[in-house]
Amino acid sequence: MNLFDAIFQHRPQSPAIIYDGFETTYDDLRQHTLHMTTFNLALVGIEHGDRVVLLLYDSPEFVEAFIALCSMGAIAVPINTALSLSDQRAIIHNCGARLILAEKDLLDLLLTDAPEGLHFPEDIIEITRSSSSSSDDFSEDHFTMTAFTGMRFRSSDMRMEDYRKRAEANSTPSFVDNESGTAFILYTSGSTGEPKGAMHSQADMFYTNATFCREVLQLTANDRLFSSSRLPFAYGLGNSFSFPLLNGATSVLCREKPTAEVISRVLKDVRPTIFFAVPVVYNLLLEYHHEKHPLDCSSLRMCVSAGEALPAHLGERWEKTFGVPVLDGIGSTEMLHMFMSNKLNDVCYGSSGKVLSGYEARLLDEHGEPSAKGAEGNLWIKGSSAASGYWERTEETARTFVDGWVRTGDLYRCDDRGYWFHMGRSDDCFKSSGQWVSPVEVEGVLLRHEKVARAAVVEDFDERSLACGCAFVVSRSAQSDPALLEAELRELATSALPKFKQPRKYIFVEELPYTATGKIQRFKLRQSLRETRSVST
């Protein structure tokens, strides 16, 4: 079985994707995927095992390319379009991409002033979009696909009707049944702060569909799934791709950045039945609902949260406001999707729910021994959706994947009812707005300031109990004005870091705690923050 055969066994005239206000059926999507395979991927000579980077917004083209690549035996490498150029280039370099399929605006940025010695593939397919008010087809986009192959130049300028006709005239390409081979690589910063590519198979997708999707979502063909987390994320890939399309439901895709205004419009106009987001988005939407414009959540039967722990009060407030529960859970790029979750009629706010069927969990102490009952410990997970390892990172693979178990890097405890509670990270990295933050990276930015002698960044929580960064700073001069220095550091962080990596809090101290070997003891800083919160409450 491959993704192409698994997806297109559903009713051909049922809606598969809603995008920019238009619907495409499963039959339309099938024809578009055949075209993507034959007139673009096969034409540039993509072969079994070739890595193909997808630098695309959430769009039908992403879906078509992903299905085609996995089904023909190539390896899809989606890249988060919001990543820094350095991270995007690092991923392309690490995976040794054979082809890049990219949006023109993103490609232009990627190729501008690219450093010498960085691997770039010989072949590039560029998608240029422009509005076309006369189109009555599925999308109002009039797009151009331009391919650069070595010294050769080839382009095709077509509307969706031409796109469909050419695909219909073409015979079905040769897809392979290779469920267990590497089909796609999803990159995560993980515990080191460097991009690591988790290698997954098509079978991993089928497994998460049979576990989380069947047990928690319980989809029908009438469901419409909308995710504010994007397709290149493991979370978003399940929400907007594998779960709806493997079950004959409908995926709601949005190319725009999912601001509160955009999400509000989608909820009102498209009326999804399931909404996926991270905690910071739920908080943002509640503020938007109360302060700017009421949300229409009347079509929703459930909401799902992941990325970081959902504060109990936030989930309870959402359900009280809209009458729709938020099912919090935990998954990882290494496990592809959720392995713990709350469920409808079994919600314990403040917890990650219970371990799903098909997965095992264990807690180990700092010595690698089982934690005492009720005590916190390092969380390890076992399940058949686990990645086979990290692409070309042998040492990291050996540390994370051990005897069938996967080290998550999270501290958890389990109560006597079987609910699991997140207690923090067992390493120094943490998540803010659902995305990994490497303290070393942030500290490097702060240390650029001439008045900063030392800096340490750790996870803290804001007044809404949402994860954020806190910077402990040692000034070079005792006479420095803390308020002025903080303002300057905030300006520096804003110019050099994405918003989710910018520290929300600054604490000025005379010294930082160090080990005998000169390493910052960040756990002591986290402990001091916990003690401060405890005293204040």
Side-chain angles (χ1 to χ4, degrees), residues 191 255-256 355 423 446:
S191 60
R255 190 169 74 239
E256 298 174 85
V355 178
M423 306 302 293
L446 300 181

Side-chain angles (χ1 to χ4, degrees), residues 414-441:
C414 182
D415 69 11
D416 55 8
R417 300 171 298 167
Y419 293 106
W420 292 73
F421 294 84
H422 186 258
M423 306 302 293
R425 290 288 296 172
S426 55
D427 54 28
D428 292 324
C429 291
F430 59 93
K431 283 186 175 181
S432 176
S433 298
Q435 301 187 66
W436 286 113
V437 177
S438 169
V440 174
E441 178 187 5

Side-chain angles (χ1 to χ4, degrees), residues 200-459:
H200 282 287
S201 66
Q202 294 175 87
D204 297 344
M205 275 194 163
F206 300 148
Y207 195 81
T208 57
N209 185 56
T211 52
F212 173 79
C213 187
R214 299 272 171 84
E215 189 172 344
V216 178
L217 302 184
Q218 301 180 10
L219 297 182
T220 73
N222 295 321
D223 276 310
R224 296 181 172 192
L225 284 67
F226 174 49
S227 175
S228 68
S229 294
R230 316 300 258 173
L231 282 167
F233 292 98
Y235 182 42
L237 190 63
N239 304 340
S240 297
F241 179 84
S242 60
F243 297 156
L245 299 183
L246 288 174
N247 293 280
T250 304
S251 174
V252 179
L253 298 181
C254 180
R255 190 169 74 239
E256 298 174 85
K257 181 180 178 180
T259 62
E261 291 82 1
V262 169
I263 294 172
S264 175
R265 187 184 72 234
V266 172
L267 292 174
K268 177 178 180 294
D269 294 344
V270 186
R271 300 188 59 77
T273 60
I274 303 177
F275 175 58
F276 303 83
V278 296
V280 69
V281 171
Y282 285 109
N283 188 75
L284 181 69
L285 290 173
L286 279 168
E287 291 179 350
Y288 180 85
H289 174 77
H290 291 295
E291 298 174 8
K292 294 186 177 180
H293 191 277
L295 293 178
D296 182 358
C297 294
S298 59
S299 64
L300 297 175
R301 64 180 183 88
M302 74 170 76
C303 295
V304 179
S305 181
E308 58 188 344
L310 178 75
H313 71 87
L314 184 55
E316 292 166 351
R317 185 182 174 203
W318 180 276
E319 182 169 2
K320 181 179 179 180
T321 302
F322 300 112
V324 183
V326 184
L327 309 183
D328 191 24
I330 178 176
S332 69
T333 305
E334 290 80 1
M335 298 302 295
L336 189 56
H337 211 272
M338 310 266 233
F339 45 80
M340 291 178 186
S341 182
N342 285 270
K343 304 173 189 176
L344 287 175
N345 304 316
D346 186 13
V347 178
C348 177
Y349 284 118
S351 82
S352 298
K354 299 177 180 178
V355 178
L356 298 174
S357 299
Y359 293 95
E360 299 176 55
R362 68 182 184 184
L363 297 177
L364 302 181
D365 62 20
E366 65 272 19
H367 305 295
E369 298 296 327
S371 299
K373 185 176 181 180
E376 69 181 46
N378 296 292
L379 177 65
W380 290 74
I381 293 293
K382 178 184 282 188
S384 294
S385 64
S388 59
Y390 297 121
W391 179 265
E392 294 191 344
R393 292 196 181 276
T394 306
E395 293 183 3
E396 289 91 338
T397 295
R399 284 197 296 266
T400 302
F401 302 87
V402 182
D403 297 330
W405 289 88
V406 178
R407 176 186 180 275
T408 66
D410 291 292
L411 291 173
Y412 263 81
R413 68 174 179 85
C414 182
D415 69 11
D416 55 8
R417 300 171 298 167
Y419 293 106
W420 292 73
F421 294 84
H422 186 258
M423 306 302 293
R425 290 288 296 172
S426 55
D427 54 28
D428 292 324
C429 291
F430 59 93
K431 283 186 175 181
S432 176
S433 298
Q435 301 187 66
W436 286 113
V437 177
S438 169
V440 174
E441 178 187 5
V442 182
E443 291 159 7
V445 171
L446 300 181
L447 289 170
R448 296 177 194 170
H449 197 290
E450 59 182 8
K451 296 180 182 178
V452 174
R454 289 175 294 281
V457 174
V458 298
E459 181 184 39

Side-chain angles (χ1 to χ4, degrees), residues 2 4-5 33-34 37 67-69 71-73 172-177:
N2 55 54
F4 185 89
D5 293 333
T33 302
L34 291 177
T37 306
I67 296 172
L69 289 166
S71 300
M72 65 193 298
T172 302
S174 178
F175 291 138
V176 296
D177 292 337

